[in-house]
Every structure is written in C-alpha cells, then in structure tokens.
Short mmCIF file of all heavy atoms in Angstrom, two decimals:
data_model
loop_
_atom_site.label_atom_id
_atom_site.label_comp_id
_atom_site.label_asym_id
_atom_site.label_seq_id
_atom_site.Cartn_x
_atom_site.Cartn_y
_atom_site.Cartn_z
N MET A 15 114.22 141.82 155.67
CA MET A 15 113.82 141.49 154.33
C MET A 15 114.60 142.37 153.34
O MET A 15 114.79 143.55 153.56
CB MET A 15 112.32 141.70 154.17
CG MET A 15 111.85 141.33 152.79
SD MET A 15 110.09 141.45 152.38
CE MET A 15 109.27 142.10 153.75
N ALA A 16 115.04 141.78 152.25
CA ALA A 16 115.80 142.51 151.23
C ALA A 16 114.89 143.45 150.45
O ALA A 16 113.74 143.15 150.20
CB ALA A 16 116.46 141.53 150.29
N THR A 17 115.45 144.58 150.07
CA THR A 17 114.73 145.55 149.26
C THR A 17 114.99 145.26 147.79
O THR A 17 116.12 145.03 147.39
CB THR A 17 115.21 146.98 149.58
OG1 THR A 17 115.00 147.23 150.96
CG2 THR A 17 114.47 148.00 148.77
N GLU A 18 113.92 145.26 147.00
CA GLU A 18 114.05 145.06 145.56
C GLU A 18 113.81 146.39 144.87
O GLU A 18 112.94 147.16 145.28
CB GLU A 18 113.06 144.02 145.06
CG GLU A 18 113.35 142.63 145.55
CD GLU A 18 112.38 141.61 144.99
OE1 GLU A 18 111.23 141.98 144.68
OE2 GLU A 18 112.77 140.45 144.88
N LYS A 19 114.56 146.63 143.82
CA LYS A 19 114.47 147.89 143.11
C LYS A 19 114.55 147.63 141.62
O LYS A 19 115.30 146.77 141.18
CB LYS A 19 115.63 148.79 143.55
CG LYS A 19 115.50 150.22 143.20
CD LYS A 19 116.63 150.98 143.84
CE LYS A 19 116.13 152.32 144.27
NZ LYS A 19 117.17 153.14 144.84
N LEU A 20 113.75 148.36 140.85
CA LEU A 20 113.79 148.28 139.40
C LEU A 20 114.29 149.61 138.88
O LEU A 20 113.73 150.66 139.20
CB LEU A 20 112.40 147.98 138.83
CG LEU A 20 112.28 148.00 137.31
CD1 LEU A 20 113.06 146.83 136.71
CD2 LEU A 20 110.83 147.93 136.90
N ILE A 21 115.35 149.57 138.07
CA ILE A 21 115.89 150.77 137.45
C ILE A 21 115.86 150.57 135.94
O ILE A 21 116.40 149.58 135.44
CB ILE A 21 117.33 151.06 137.92
CG1 ILE A 21 117.35 151.26 139.44
CG2 ILE A 21 117.91 152.27 137.20
CD1 ILE A 21 118.74 151.35 140.04
N ILE A 22 115.21 151.49 135.25
CA ILE A 22 115.10 151.44 133.79
C ILE A 22 115.73 152.71 133.24
O ILE A 22 115.37 153.81 133.66
CB ILE A 22 113.63 151.36 133.34
CG1 ILE A 22 112.93 150.17 133.99
CG2 ILE A 22 113.53 151.30 131.82
CD1 ILE A 22 111.43 150.17 133.81
N LYS A 23 116.65 152.55 132.30
CA LYS A 23 117.29 153.71 131.68
C LYS A 23 117.23 153.56 130.16
O LYS A 23 117.67 152.54 129.61
CB LYS A 23 118.76 153.83 132.11
CG LYS A 23 118.92 154.16 133.56
CD LYS A 23 120.38 154.32 133.92
CE LYS A 23 120.53 154.65 135.39
NZ LYS A 23 121.93 154.79 135.76
N ASN A 24 116.67 154.56 129.50
CA ASN A 24 116.63 154.63 128.03
C ASN A 24 116.11 153.35 127.39
O ASN A 24 116.77 152.73 126.58
CB ASN A 24 118.01 154.97 127.47
CG ASN A 24 118.51 156.30 127.98
OD1 ASN A 24 117.72 157.24 128.10
ND2 ASN A 24 119.77 156.38 128.31
N PHE A 25 114.88 152.95 127.77
CA PHE A 25 114.27 151.76 127.19
C PHE A 25 112.83 152.07 126.82
O PHE A 25 112.05 152.53 127.67
CB PHE A 25 114.31 150.59 128.18
CG PHE A 25 113.67 149.35 127.65
CD1 PHE A 25 114.32 148.55 126.72
CD2 PHE A 25 112.41 148.97 128.07
CE1 PHE A 25 113.73 147.41 126.22
CE2 PHE A 25 111.81 147.82 127.59
CZ PHE A 25 112.47 147.04 126.66
N ALA A 26 112.46 151.83 125.57
CA ALA A 26 111.08 151.95 125.08
C ALA A 26 110.43 153.29 125.45
O ALA A 26 109.30 153.35 125.91
CB ALA A 26 110.24 150.79 125.60
N GLY A 27 111.17 154.36 125.30
CA GLY A 27 110.62 155.68 125.58
C GLY A 27 110.67 156.10 127.04
O GLY A 27 110.23 157.18 127.39
N LEU A 28 111.21 155.24 127.90
CA LEU A 28 111.35 155.57 129.32
C LEU A 28 112.78 156.05 129.54
O LEU A 28 113.72 155.29 129.35
CB LEU A 28 111.06 154.34 130.18
CG LEU A 28 109.68 153.71 130.01
CD1 LEU A 28 109.61 152.39 130.74
CD2 LEU A 28 108.60 154.65 130.50
N ASN A 29 112.94 157.30 129.92
CA ASN A 29 114.28 157.87 130.08
C ASN A 29 114.97 157.35 131.34
O ASN A 29 116.06 156.81 131.27
CB ASN A 29 114.22 159.39 130.12
CG ASN A 29 113.80 159.96 128.79
OD1 ASN A 29 114.08 159.36 127.75
ND2 ASN A 29 113.12 161.08 128.81
N HIS A 30 114.34 157.53 132.49
CA HIS A 30 114.93 157.06 133.75
C HIS A 30 113.80 156.78 134.75
O HIS A 30 113.06 157.68 135.13
CB HIS A 30 115.88 158.10 134.35
CG HIS A 30 116.51 157.62 135.62
ND1 HIS A 30 117.59 156.78 135.63
CD2 HIS A 30 116.19 157.84 136.91
CE1 HIS A 30 117.92 156.52 136.89
NE2 HIS A 30 117.08 157.14 137.68
N ILE A 31 113.68 155.52 135.14
CA ILE A 31 112.68 155.10 136.12
C ILE A 31 113.43 154.38 137.24
O ILE A 31 114.27 153.53 136.98
CB ILE A 31 111.65 154.13 135.49
CG1 ILE A 31 111.00 154.73 134.25
CG2 ILE A 31 110.61 153.70 136.51
CD1 ILE A 31 110.13 155.92 134.50
N ASP A 32 113.11 154.73 138.46
CA ASP A 32 113.73 154.13 139.64
C ASP A 32 112.60 153.81 140.62
O ASP A 32 112.04 154.72 141.23
CB ASP A 32 114.73 155.10 140.25
CG ASP A 32 115.61 154.48 141.31
OD1 ASP A 32 115.23 153.44 141.87
OD2 ASP A 32 116.67 155.06 141.57
N ILE A 33 112.22 152.53 140.73
CA ILE A 33 111.07 152.13 141.55
C ILE A 33 111.50 151.12 142.60
O ILE A 33 112.17 150.14 142.28
CB ILE A 33 109.99 151.46 140.66
CG1 ILE A 33 109.51 152.42 139.58
CG2 ILE A 33 108.82 151.00 141.50
CD1 ILE A 33 108.58 151.76 138.58
N GLU A 34 111.10 151.36 143.84
CA GLU A 34 111.29 150.37 144.89
C GLU A 34 110.10 149.42 144.83
O GLU A 34 108.95 149.85 144.90
CB GLU A 34 111.37 151.04 146.26
CG GLU A 34 111.71 150.08 147.37
CD GLU A 34 111.89 150.78 148.71
OE1 GLU A 34 112.25 151.96 148.73
OE2 GLU A 34 111.64 150.12 149.73
N ILE A 35 110.38 148.13 144.66
CA ILE A 35 109.33 147.12 144.48
C ILE A 35 108.79 146.71 145.84
O ILE A 35 109.54 146.31 146.72
CB ILE A 35 109.87 145.88 143.73
CG1 ILE A 35 110.55 146.29 142.43
CG2 ILE A 35 108.76 144.88 143.49
CD1 ILE A 35 109.67 147.03 141.46
N LYS A 36 107.47 146.82 145.99
CA LYS A 36 106.79 146.42 147.22
C LYS A 36 105.82 145.30 146.89
O LYS A 36 105.69 144.89 145.74
CB LYS A 36 106.03 147.62 147.78
CG LYS A 36 106.88 148.86 147.97
CD LYS A 36 106.97 149.21 149.39
CE LYS A 36 107.84 150.46 149.51
NZ LYS A 36 108.09 150.82 150.80
N LYS A 37 105.09 144.82 147.89
CA LYS A 37 104.11 143.76 147.67
C LYS A 37 103.03 144.24 146.70
O LYS A 37 102.59 143.50 145.83
CB LYS A 37 103.49 143.33 149.00
CG LYS A 37 102.56 142.15 148.88
CD LYS A 37 102.09 141.69 150.23
CE LYS A 37 101.20 140.46 150.08
NZ LYS A 37 100.74 139.97 151.38
N ILE A 38 102.60 145.49 146.85
CA ILE A 38 101.62 146.09 145.94
C ILE A 38 102.22 147.40 145.43
O ILE A 38 102.69 148.22 146.20
CB ILE A 38 100.29 146.38 146.65
CG1 ILE A 38 99.65 145.07 147.10
CG2 ILE A 38 99.35 147.16 145.74
CD1 ILE A 38 98.38 145.25 147.91
N ASN A 39 102.21 147.57 144.11
CA ASN A 39 102.71 148.78 143.47
C ASN A 39 101.59 149.38 142.63
O ASN A 39 100.94 148.67 141.86
CB ASN A 39 103.91 148.48 142.57
CG ASN A 39 105.08 147.97 143.36
OD1 ASN A 39 105.74 148.73 144.04
ND2 ASN A 39 105.31 146.68 143.30
N ILE A 40 101.35 150.67 142.79
CA ILE A 40 100.31 151.37 142.02
C ILE A 40 101.01 152.38 141.13
O ILE A 40 101.75 153.23 141.61
CB ILE A 40 99.29 152.05 142.95
CG1 ILE A 40 98.60 150.99 143.81
CG2 ILE A 40 98.29 152.85 142.14
CD1 ILE A 40 97.69 151.54 144.87
N LEU A 41 100.76 152.27 139.83
CA LEU A 41 101.33 153.20 138.86
C LEU A 41 100.24 154.18 138.43
O LEU A 41 99.20 153.77 137.93
CB LEU A 41 101.87 152.43 137.65
CG LEU A 41 102.89 151.34 137.95
CD1 LEU A 41 103.19 150.55 136.69
CD2 LEU A 41 104.15 151.94 138.53
N MET A 42 100.49 155.45 138.63
CA MET A 42 99.53 156.49 138.25
C MET A 42 100.21 157.50 137.35
O MET A 42 101.38 157.82 137.55
CB MET A 42 99.00 157.19 139.51
CG MET A 42 98.21 156.29 140.41
SD MET A 42 97.72 157.03 141.97
CE MET A 42 96.95 158.53 141.47
N GLY A 43 99.48 158.00 136.38
CA GLY A 43 100.02 159.02 135.49
C GLY A 43 99.12 159.22 134.29
O GLY A 43 98.16 158.49 134.10
N PRO A 44 99.46 160.18 133.46
CA PRO A 44 98.64 160.46 132.27
C PRO A 44 98.77 159.35 131.23
O PRO A 44 99.66 158.50 131.31
CB PRO A 44 99.22 161.78 131.74
CG PRO A 44 100.58 161.88 132.33
CD PRO A 44 100.56 161.12 133.61
N GLN A 45 97.87 159.38 130.26
CA GLN A 45 97.91 158.41 129.18
C GLN A 45 99.24 158.49 128.44
O GLN A 45 99.84 159.57 128.33
CB GLN A 45 96.78 158.67 128.19
CG GLN A 45 95.42 158.35 128.73
CD GLN A 45 94.33 158.61 127.70
OE1 GLN A 45 94.52 159.35 126.75
NE2 GLN A 45 93.18 158.00 127.91
N ALA A 46 99.68 157.35 127.95
CA ALA A 46 100.92 157.25 127.15
C ALA A 46 102.16 157.73 127.90
O ALA A 46 103.07 158.28 127.30
CB ALA A 46 100.76 158.01 125.83
N SER A 47 102.19 157.50 129.22
CA SER A 47 103.36 157.92 130.00
C SER A 47 104.27 156.74 130.36
O SER A 47 105.28 156.94 131.01
CB SER A 47 102.93 158.65 131.27
OG SER A 47 102.16 157.80 132.10
N GLY A 48 103.89 155.50 129.96
CA GLY A 48 104.75 154.35 130.18
C GLY A 48 104.32 153.40 131.29
O GLY A 48 105.05 152.47 131.62
N LYS A 49 103.14 153.61 131.86
CA LYS A 49 102.68 152.75 132.96
C LYS A 49 102.58 151.28 132.54
O LYS A 49 103.04 150.40 133.25
CB LYS A 49 101.32 153.23 133.48
CG LYS A 49 101.33 154.63 134.05
CD LYS A 49 99.95 155.06 134.52
CE LYS A 49 98.91 155.03 133.44
NZ LYS A 49 99.03 156.03 132.39
N SER A 50 102.00 151.03 131.39
CA SER A 50 101.85 149.65 130.91
C SER A 50 103.20 149.01 130.63
O SER A 50 103.41 147.83 130.91
CB SER A 50 100.99 149.61 129.64
OG SER A 50 99.68 150.02 129.94
N MET A 51 104.11 149.78 130.07
CA MET A 51 105.45 149.24 129.79
C MET A 51 106.16 148.86 131.09
O MET A 51 106.79 147.81 131.18
CB MET A 51 106.28 150.26 129.01
CG MET A 51 107.66 149.77 128.64
SD MET A 51 107.70 148.24 127.70
CE MET A 51 106.99 148.77 126.16
N ILE A 52 106.04 149.69 132.11
CA ILE A 52 106.64 149.38 133.41
C ILE A 52 106.02 148.12 133.99
O ILE A 52 106.72 147.24 134.51
CB ILE A 52 106.50 150.57 134.38
CG1 ILE A 52 107.32 151.75 133.87
CG2 ILE A 52 106.92 150.18 135.79
CD1 ILE A 52 107.07 153.04 134.61
N ALA A 53 104.68 147.98 133.89
CA ALA A 53 104.00 146.78 134.39
C ALA A 53 104.48 145.53 133.66
O ALA A 53 104.70 144.49 134.28
CB ALA A 53 102.49 146.95 134.25
N LYS A 54 104.66 145.63 132.35
CA LYS A 54 105.15 144.49 131.57
C LYS A 54 106.57 144.10 131.96
O LYS A 54 106.91 142.93 132.07
CB LYS A 54 105.07 144.79 130.08
CG LYS A 54 103.66 144.83 129.55
CD LYS A 54 103.62 145.28 128.11
CE LYS A 54 102.19 145.45 127.66
NZ LYS A 54 102.09 145.98 126.28
N ILE A 55 107.42 145.10 132.17
CA ILE A 55 108.80 144.83 132.58
C ILE A 55 108.82 144.17 133.96
O ILE A 55 109.57 143.22 134.19
CB ILE A 55 109.64 146.12 132.56
CG1 ILE A 55 109.79 146.61 131.11
CG2 ILE A 55 111.00 145.90 133.21
CD1 ILE A 55 110.36 148.01 131.00
N LEU A 56 108.00 144.67 134.89
CA LEU A 56 107.91 144.05 136.22
C LEU A 56 107.46 142.60 136.11
O LEU A 56 108.02 141.71 136.77
CB LEU A 56 106.93 144.83 137.11
CG LEU A 56 107.44 146.13 137.68
CD1 LEU A 56 106.30 146.90 138.32
CD2 LEU A 56 108.52 145.86 138.71
N PHE A 57 106.46 142.33 135.29
CA PHE A 57 105.95 140.97 135.11
C PHE A 57 107.04 140.07 134.54
O PHE A 57 107.24 138.95 135.02
CB PHE A 57 104.73 141.00 134.18
CG PHE A 57 104.13 139.65 133.93
CD1 PHE A 57 103.33 139.05 134.88
CD2 PHE A 57 104.38 138.99 132.74
CE1 PHE A 57 102.77 137.80 134.65
CE2 PHE A 57 103.84 137.73 132.51
CZ PHE A 57 103.03 137.15 133.46
N TYR A 58 107.75 140.55 133.53
CA TYR A 58 108.81 139.77 132.90
C TYR A 58 109.93 139.47 133.91
O TYR A 58 110.40 138.34 134.01
CB TYR A 58 109.36 140.51 131.69
CG TYR A 58 110.50 139.80 131.02
CD1 TYR A 58 110.28 138.69 130.22
CD2 TYR A 58 111.81 140.24 131.18
CE1 TYR A 58 111.32 138.02 129.61
CE2 TYR A 58 112.87 139.58 130.56
CZ TYR A 58 112.61 138.48 129.79
OH TYR A 58 113.65 137.82 129.19
N CYS A 59 110.37 140.49 134.64
CA CYS A 59 111.46 140.31 135.61
C CYS A 59 111.05 139.38 136.73
O CYS A 59 111.86 138.59 137.22
CB CYS A 59 111.91 141.66 136.16
SG CYS A 59 112.73 142.69 134.94
N LYS A 60 109.80 139.45 137.16
CA LYS A 60 109.31 138.57 138.22
C LYS A 60 109.37 137.12 137.75
O LYS A 60 109.75 136.23 138.50
CB LYS A 60 107.87 138.95 138.59
CG LYS A 60 107.26 138.13 139.69
CD LYS A 60 107.90 138.41 141.01
CE LYS A 60 107.14 137.68 142.09
NZ LYS A 60 107.87 137.64 143.33
N GLY A 61 109.02 136.87 136.48
CA GLY A 61 109.08 135.53 135.92
C GLY A 61 110.51 134.99 135.86
O GLY A 61 110.73 133.79 136.03
N LEU A 62 111.48 135.87 135.63
CA LEU A 62 112.87 135.44 135.60
C LEU A 62 113.38 135.05 136.98
O LEU A 62 114.23 134.19 137.10
CB LEU A 62 113.75 136.57 135.05
CG LEU A 62 113.62 136.88 133.56
CD1 LEU A 62 114.50 138.07 133.20
CD2 LEU A 62 114.00 135.68 132.72
N SER A 63 112.86 135.71 138.02
CA SER A 63 113.37 135.47 139.36
C SER A 63 112.74 134.26 140.05
O SER A 63 113.26 133.77 141.03
CB SER A 63 113.18 136.72 140.23
OG SER A 63 111.80 136.95 140.45
N GLU A 64 111.59 133.78 139.53
CA GLU A 64 110.92 132.64 140.15
C GLU A 64 111.53 131.33 139.62
O GLU A 64 111.82 131.22 138.43
CB GLU A 64 109.42 132.67 139.85
CG GLU A 64 108.72 133.83 140.53
CD GLU A 64 107.23 133.87 140.18
OE1 GLU A 64 106.79 133.13 139.28
OE2 GLU A 64 106.54 134.66 140.83
N PRO A 65 111.69 130.34 140.48
CA PRO A 65 112.23 129.05 140.02
C PRO A 65 111.24 128.32 139.11
O PRO A 65 110.03 128.46 139.27
CB PRO A 65 112.45 128.27 141.31
CG PRO A 65 111.59 128.94 142.33
CD PRO A 65 111.42 130.37 141.90
N SER A 66 111.75 127.57 138.17
CA SER A 66 110.90 126.77 137.26
C SER A 66 110.34 125.57 138.00
O SER A 66 111.00 125.02 138.87
CB SER A 66 111.71 126.31 136.06
OG SER A 66 112.20 127.41 135.35
N PRO A 67 109.12 125.15 137.62
CA PRO A 67 108.53 123.97 138.31
C PRO A 67 109.21 122.68 137.93
O PRO A 67 109.89 122.50 137.02
CB PRO A 67 107.08 123.96 137.81
CG PRO A 67 107.00 124.88 136.66
CD PRO A 67 108.23 125.74 136.68
#
C-alpha cells in the first residue's frame, strides 16, 4: 500500500508540518496551535483526491 504524506510549509500560521496520513489520525496539542487548520486542509485535500460522482 502506498504511503500518503501531508507537508505544510508557511501556511496560515503553520511553519512546518510533516504528517504521515493513516486511516485514523489524532491531532493533539494546546489551544490555537493549528489542529483545526490541519484538519481542514486534510479534509480539503481528501476531497480533491476522490473521483467525482
């Protein structure tokens, strides 16, 4: 199975994020550390990779 990876550099207050995408991903950290932004980016990218009906 191919490994998927998300790399974010200098976007919306996130300096450098490097995440290996798995079936389930848990984001933990203090408030205002970018967890929601990462979740939104993952959701958006997942929508781009799925074929249209």
Side-chain angles (χ1 to χ4, degrees):
M15 182 178 4
T17 301
E18 292 182 333
K19 196 173 216 183
L20 174 67
I21 300 171
I22 304 169
K23 293 182 180 179
N24 300 320
F25 179 76
L28 302 170
N29 293 330
H30 181 81
I31 306 293
D32 191 340
I33 301 173
E34 186 175 333
I35 307 301
K36 307 244 179 185
K37 186 174 182 179
I38 296 175
N39 295 286
I40 299 174
L41 304 172
M42 296 174 52
Q45 290 181 339
S47 62
K49 299 179 301 290
S50 295
M51 182 57 68
I52 294 170
K54 289 174 186 176
I55 293 169
L56 283 170
F57 180 78
Y58 178 75
C59 292
K60 181 70 173 166
L62 289 177
S63 67
E64 292 178 350
S66 299

